Amino acid sequence: EERVARQKKEFRQLIDNIVGCSEPDFLPRIVTQNIDLVLSLRGFEGGSMLKEIIDETKEGGDEERVSAVEEAAEYVLSFVEEFVEQAVSIDKNNKLLLGKIVKKLTSGRDDQGGRPGMEEEAKLDELFENEKDNFTPGFLRHLEGECNRIATAPKMSPESSKMLQTLRIIQARVVEELGEELGEGAVVLGQLLGYDDRNERLAVLDAGLTVRGIAFAKELA
């Protein structure tokens, strides 16, 4: 009950901020700053809260205020719908891109499952070069999420272990490809990916940042 009351208060504040915004260009920023709250509108509870806020506003008798609140609520709902559609589209594209790379990498291996031959390696390099613009932070998060999903599975089969190894190779190659333009920070991140244990990776990162300082930390960010 306390959580619901707090959430309703946050919804009301969000609506008030939208209504009070005099610059339409700032509206997306206001909503994205409350993205977790806004995404909860996909559930029945969130929609009910918006309706309650509108009904309470109507009780005040200020028609202009009611209209403004209704428009704000409509804007939030439209934002949620578009955000979800975009997220689904991005997720689909990330899956397709990862699938294309996995297929190219695994199909080029020799019969013993080793590294690709020279011709296949060249084709793989070409693929990474051509897809460089699609190696977004979202794609890297998707790739890391797939690695974590496999690594934290209750049971690791030989097939899943091999897939995890493949994904780690792709992860390192993507960061390496980006590192050519992003500089030393990206190279260091690529080296960190060599540590499979998350705690060990964080310990190395922490030690490195202690030595290199704030400026290098900002470059990594």
Side-chain angles (χ1 to χ4, degrees), residues 2 6 13-14 35 41 48 53 74 76 83 85 128 149 153 159 162 173 185:
E2 182 180 343
R6 183 177 67 254
Q13 184 61 56
L14 173 60
I35 193 62
L41 283 169
S48 296
I53 293 172
E74 182 62 33
V76 172
F83 182 90
E85 288 178 356
F128 274 91
R149 181 179 62 81
E159 290 76 17
K162 186 177 295 184
R173 285 290 301 269

Side-chain angles (χ1 to χ4, degrees), residues 5-31:
R6 183 177 67 254
Q7 193 176 37
K8 184 178 178 181
K9 181 180 179 181
E10 292 173 350
F11 269 127
R12 185 179 285 107
Q13 184 61 56
L14 173 60
I15 293 297
D16 287 343
N17 290 343
I18 294 175
V19 171
C21 181
S22 58
E23 295 291 339
D25 291 343
F26 289 167
L27 291 177
R29 182 185 303 176
I30 292 175
V31 179

